[in-house]
Amino acid sequence: MKKLVALCVALGALVLGALFLGASCSSRERAGGADRQDAATTRARGDVLTIYSSLPRHGAQRERTEAIERGIELALDQHDGSVGQLEVRYRPLDDATGQRNRWDPSATWDNARRAAADPSTIGYIGELDSGASAISIPVLNKAVIPQVSPASTAISLTADPRGGVQATPAKYYPTGRRTFARVVPNDTVQGAALVRLMGDRDCSEVAILRQDTLYGSDLAASIEAAAKRSNLSARIYRIAGDERAAQRAAVDQLGDDRPDCVVYAGSASPAAVRLFRELYLALPDIQLFGGSALAAARFIDPDEKGIPAGVASVTTITHPATPPRTRSAGRRRFERALGGDGLGSEEDGRDTDLDAVYGYEAMSLLLDSIRRAGRQRRDRQAVVDALFDTRNRRSAIGTYSIDRNGDTTIDRYGAYSIRKGRLAFEQTLSGDRLRSSAAR
């Protein structure tokens, strides 16, 4: 009888132990992140793995997309279209439509869904516009697809709101884990760069014209927050859409308020060209500024229906690219491979394809993340983990790491004037100067 009791006690202990172990494992899985998918559900399949891109291939941003795609294709060619024994193919998709003549939310959604539904997908490059990234990130996040943007800068895609930005990053990541990273500094850095630039230009009263988009809202709020830290007087003016009436009302208001500097937080478009022209006519002594989204031929080049020479002479744009004379050896090698001095020359400091290097680095980073995933190169989650484990990467855009939010540690922007329809480097705003004004 005693032996039977002892046996029952032992069996009971084993059952309780198994239940406790199961509960502990379940707790550990939950602690590792919501909806963590196992390797069986995140493993890419097929003889050839696919990296998609989603960029506007026509409209006002077409030239930027063409530059980015040249960089993407160069990076893949340099890797012979493979990582180890795995062949990798590139599938470019268009997220612009003829009806809008720019990126379209429905096209962006369709592109992300196509990539998510393809069992061979191992990575995704996009988007160009931050508003488009806000649409594609949740779709790709559910499928655990590593995503790298060469251009989206809105801070709320990756970090907690600052300075009045309304969007929050958590809603973009339904799995509870990050899958999106970018190789350009976010708008906290760009906003600080613009404020530093305006301070250097002796601006005292700044008007921030905010386009009613995610990119416009984030950049405007970042500029305003940086201006407060720098004791620079700044006020946000909201432009509801591209309608002439809304723009006219904003210009009339500025005519009454008489700021000495205006910074536009918005994207390149025919409406942006019209706005800058009207500001120049209404405020002849004004200095005009804008972010990297304006670095498009259809904004800066009068031959492409961009701003006229008079407006260009008082306009300065920020962009994360660095000038030819200060570029690293890796950047110079990239430029030679792309085709000689296609990105600028030492003589005049001009740049024409500033975005090409960011397409190049987006693809290079994805390929390197696949390589660093080792034997788990087919596992999307393993590639995501490697992407976020990027540390001190030496690249054509400089040495950087990817932080836990998905942001690059590069904190440098360049200031560019516009000469004869092309961007011309003026100065670099970098390092401690931006860290101090963009401190979080």
Side-chain angles (χ1 to χ4, degrees), residues 19-219:
L19 290 173
F20 177 79
L21 180 60
S24 299
C25 291
S26 177
S27 297
R28 282 197 297 271
E29 288 174 2
R30 286 194 296 270
D35 298 331
R36 169 66 162 93
Q37 301 186 43
D38 60 32
T41 61
T42 64
R43 184 178 175 83
R45 299 190 299 276
D47 296 332
V48 181
L49 302 184
T50 306
I51 292 178
Y52 284 90
S53 74
S54 175
L55 302 163
R57 307 188 82 192
H58 58 276
Q61 300 287 358
R62 175 177 58 82
E63 290 84 1
R64 294 190 70 195
T65 291
E66 289 174 350
I68 289 170
E69 289 186 343
R70 282 197 295 275
I72 289 172
E73 291 166 355
L74 174 61
L76 189 59
D77 286 346
Q78 289 182 341
H79 285 78
D80 296 323
S82 64
V83 178
Q85 300 300 314
L86 293 177
E87 183 178 348
V88 179
R89 67 186 163 200
Y90 169 52
R91 291 274 176 94
L93 303 177
D94 188 358
D95 75 344
T97 59
Q99 293 88 341
R100 288 170 59 91
N101 203 32
R102 55 192 174 99
W103 80 270
D104 187 291
S106 61
T108 303
W109 171 265
D110 288 344
N111 291 349
R113 294 278 292 178
R114 177 176 173 180
D118 185 345
S120 74
T121 301
I122 196 62
Y124 188 97
I125 298 173
E127 312 290 332
L128 185 66
D129 190 278
S130 295
S133 288
I135 292 171
S136 64
I137 291 172
V139 177
L140 300 168
N141 183 257
K142 286 182 179 180
V144 195
I145 293 174
Q147 177 179 2
V148 178
S149 172
S152 294
T153 57
I155 179 64
S156 58
L157 295 174
T158 56
D160 290 335
R162 292 291 191 274
V165 182
Q166 295 180 354
T168 57
K171 67 181 181 181
Y172 299 124
Y173 303 96
T175 68
R177 298 170 67 91
R178 299 299 177 95
T179 50
F180 170 85
R182 49 185 159 201
V183 293
V184 289
N186 65 41
D187 279 333
T188 298
V189 181
Q190 180 161 222
L194 282 162
V195 167
R196 168 64 72 173
L197 176 62
M198 290 186 286
D200 289 349
R201 301 290 175 85
D202 297 323
C203 297
S204 58
E205 296 291 332
V206 174
I208 307 169
L209 286 182
R210 191 196 84 183
Q211 187 183 37
D212 203 16
T213 61
L214 175 64
Y215 169 73
S217 297
D218 268 26
L219 180 56

Side-chain angles (χ1 to χ4, degrees), residues 198-348:
M198 290 186 286
D200 289 349
R201 301 290 175 85
D202 297 323
C203 297
S204 58
E205 296 291 332
V206 174
I208 307 169
L209 286 182
R210 191 196 84 183
Q211 187 183 37
D212 203 16
T213 61
L214 175 64
Y215 169 73
S217 297
D218 268 26
L219 180 56
S222 295
I223 295 169
E224 183 184 41
K228 288 179 179 178
R229 291 191 295 268
S230 299
N231 296 317
L232 178 64
S233 177
R235 176 184 173 186
I236 293 179
Y237 297 76
R238 176 174 172 265
I239 301 176
D242 291 340
E243 293 80 3
R244 285 181 180 271
Q247 289 190 346
R248 187 69 255 174
V251 172
D252 289 344
Q253 183 63 54
L254 293 182
D256 293 336
D257 294 346
R258 310 301 295 184
D260 53 2
C261 296
V262 175
V263 56
Y264 178 59
S267 301
S269 68
V273 172
R274 182 175 67 239
L275 174 63
F276 271 62
R277 187 169 57 242
E278 292 185 0
L279 287 168
Y280 177 74
L281 293 173
L283 302 163
D285 297 325
I286 201 69
Q287 295 187 73
L288 301 173
F289 301 86
S292 59
L294 297 182
R298 296 195 183 187
F299 179 80
I300 66 174
D301 189 351
D303 292 339
E304 297 285 345
K305 299 182 180 180
I307 56 176
V311 181
S313 68
V314 298
T315 300
T316 308
I317 292 173
T318 51
H319 195 284
T322 55
R325 60 182 174 274
T326 62
R327 287 178 181 151
S328 66
R331 177 66 178 268
R332 291 193 295 272
R333 285 194 297 271
F334 157 73
E335 292 180 3
R336 287 195 296 271
L338 191 65
D341 60 356
L343 276 79
S345 67
E346 293 285 350
E347 288 73 22
D348 61 12

